[in-house]
Amino acid sequence: MATHSRDPILLTPGPLTTALETKTAMLRDWGSWDASFNAITANVRKRLLDIVRGHATHVCVPMQGSGTFSVEAAVNSTVPRDGHLLVLVNGAYGKRLAKLARMMGRRVSMFETADDVPTTAEDVDRLLAKDASITHVGLIHCETSTGILNPLPGIAAVVARHGRRLIVDAMSSFGALPIDLEATPIDVVIAASGKCIEGPPGMGFAIVRRSTLEGCEGRSSSLALDLHDQWVYMEKTTQWRYTPPTHVVAAFAAALEQHAAEGGQPARLARYTANGQALFEGMRSLGFRSFLDASIQAPIIYTFHAPADPGYEFKRFYAEVRDRGFILYPGKLTQLETFRVGCIGAIGPSEMRQAVLAIGDALRAMGIRTVTPAAARAVA
Ligand SMILES: *Cc1c(COP(=O)(O)O)cnc(C)c1O
């Protein structure tokens, strides 16, 4: 048991470590009908559109729940019941998107590449040329199961050229990686409060092309996750349709204010890039190899091969690192033993270097000498 009382630093890509101003914004109770709370909601919606330059074409609809609730609401509310969704998969979140669409009765096709292979615009061009029945394409911008970045602008251009619609799960990229709705044709962008904007978890949102959403009445097969209804109600009353997560909304507004004060998306990307670099270099000096090639790695979360040493066990490793003040994330690959380290949240490169020290210390406590995985040793 650790005896220190400091909160651990979360190197998990949501929930993540938030700033003190974000936490203290939750120390107040809000009435959901009160004008002061509704002004916060309006401010959040405006700031989210600012980040992706969506004001001219899109609207922002917040939704209660974790990120998946917003993905489910967006798909269920925008894909017609007789639509056909092509999901581009290279990890667990792509599979989840396909699964939820299928469960809602939509026709779904999957195009799957390996966990370390991005989908390309050429892939999508070929798939759409071959199948005219595909109405929508679903893409995971940064696939958080590894940290791989898929080439959004190129894919968006191809989907638009074929006259289909693009739904982007930008959960772990929104606010950090560039998304420009004035330059990139995207119908729906989905993200949540507890990722790169650095709010607490508890609400998501979909940024939907206005002309699309206007035609979505009655499409949803779910009452609670009806994005069109939420939007119409919010426009009419300024309120959320059902009980909002008031404290989360207030903290999210504070986090958005800090995001803007820091310098917006470019500044956040610069900090996360510095975090990722500090992590990558520190881990390499300990002997770790990262799973992804640097050219396709997003500065959001890194996947590392587990140490080859027979004394390694993730549960013990996790506990040792946690007792030193840092929370790691298990790997999400079925074929390979890995673990993940997030580099997002209200932290900088010095916290990443401290995390590397804690990891090195944990390895020593476990008596682990061989860190480099066998496969990587053979190549090197
Ligand atoms: C976090 C995340 C989600 C949503 O997951 P929840 O557990 O519902 O918050 C969806 N897609 C991606 C790519 C994510 O990183």
Side-chain angles (χ1 to χ4, degrees), residues 84-377:
H84 179 184
L85 177 69
L86 167 67
V87 184
L88 309 171
V89 179
N90 44 18
Y93 290 102
K95 286 187 184 132
R96 187 185 295 181
L97 172 56
K99 180 178 180 183
L100 63 86
R102 209 171 269 135
M103 284 181 72
M104 293 177 303
R106 298 324 191 262
R107 183 175 168 200
V108 175
S109 296
M110 280 213 290
F111 175 72
E112 196 167 353
T113 53
D115 295 310
D116 57 350
V117 177
T119 312
T120 66
E122 293 72 32
D123 290 331
V124 180
D125 190 28
R126 189 181 65 246
L127 293 160
L128 294 182
K130 210 167 58 186
D131 191 342
S133 74
I134 294 166
T135 54
H136 291 69
V137 175
L139 174 71
I140 314 295
H141 189 195
C142 168
E143 177 49 85
T144 323
S145 28
T146 57
I148 194 173
L149 180 65
N150 286 303
L152 171 59
I155 290 174
V158 165
V159 173
R161 182 145 43 76
H162 282 273
R164 324 293 169 89
R165 293 167 187 278
L166 181 62
I167 298 174
V168 179
D169 172 347
M171 208 66 67
S172 64
S173 59
F174 190 97
L177 299 175
I179 298 173
D180 182 353
L181 294 176
E182 287 188 12
T184 316
I186 307 173
D187 235 41
V188 187
V189 178
I190 310 147
S193 54
K195 304 251 174 162
C196 297
I197 303 294
E198 301 179 357
M203 61 166 280
F205 55 91
I207 291 177
V208 190
R209 193 185 298 281
R210 175 187 282 275
S211 58
T212 296
L213 194 56
E214 280 167 351
C216 290
E217 184 173 358
R219 274 188 192 169
S220 175
S221 61
S222 159
L223 173 70
L225 297 178
D226 188 333
L227 217 56
H228 179 269
D229 218 41
Q230 176 93 314
W231 175 55
V232 169
Y233 188 86
M234 204 170 260
E235 290 295 307
K236 199 160 67 187
T237 66
T238 74
Q239 294 160 19
W240 295 56
R241 199 174 42 143
Y242 305 133
T243 305
T246 46
H247 300 75
V248 173
V249 178
F252 191 36
L256 278 162
E257 199 175 309
Q258 293 157 52
H259 182 270
E262 186 177 355
Q265 173 268 319
R268 188 126 316 175
L269 176 61
R271 177 158 59 85
Y272 289 173
T273 302
N275 287 357
Q277 207 56 33
L279 173 69
F280 178 79
E281 277 160 18
M283 293 296 275
R284 192 173 52 184
S285 71
L286 290 177
F288 283 101
R289 298 294 161 108
S290 86
F291 171 69
L292 293 176
D293 193 81
S295 62
I296 53 171
Q297 170 75 60
I300 304 294
I301 186 168
Y302 279 68
T303 299
F304 293 101
H305 291 281
D309 199 286
Y312 175 83
E313 187 217 348
F314 178 75
K315 258 176 101 168
R316 165 102 197 272
F317 179 57
Y318 173 90
E320 292 285 351
V321 176
R322 183 200 54 209
D323 289 348
R324 288 163 176 79
F326 296 88
I327 302 286
L328 302 178
Y329 219 42
K332 218 171 186 162
L333 300 175
T334 44
Q335 312 287 335
L336 284 170
E337 166 112 52
T338 56
F339 65 92
R340 290 176 292 167
V341 188
C343 54
I344 64 177
I347 51 175
S350 64
E351 279 78 14
M352 301 314 298
R353 283 189 284 270
Q354 289 164 28
V356 171
L357 291 175
I359 288 169
D361 207 28
L363 293 176
R364 275 187 292 280
M366 292 173 74
I368 289 172
R369 297 218 185 86
T370 315
V371 171
T372 311
R377 273 205 317 277

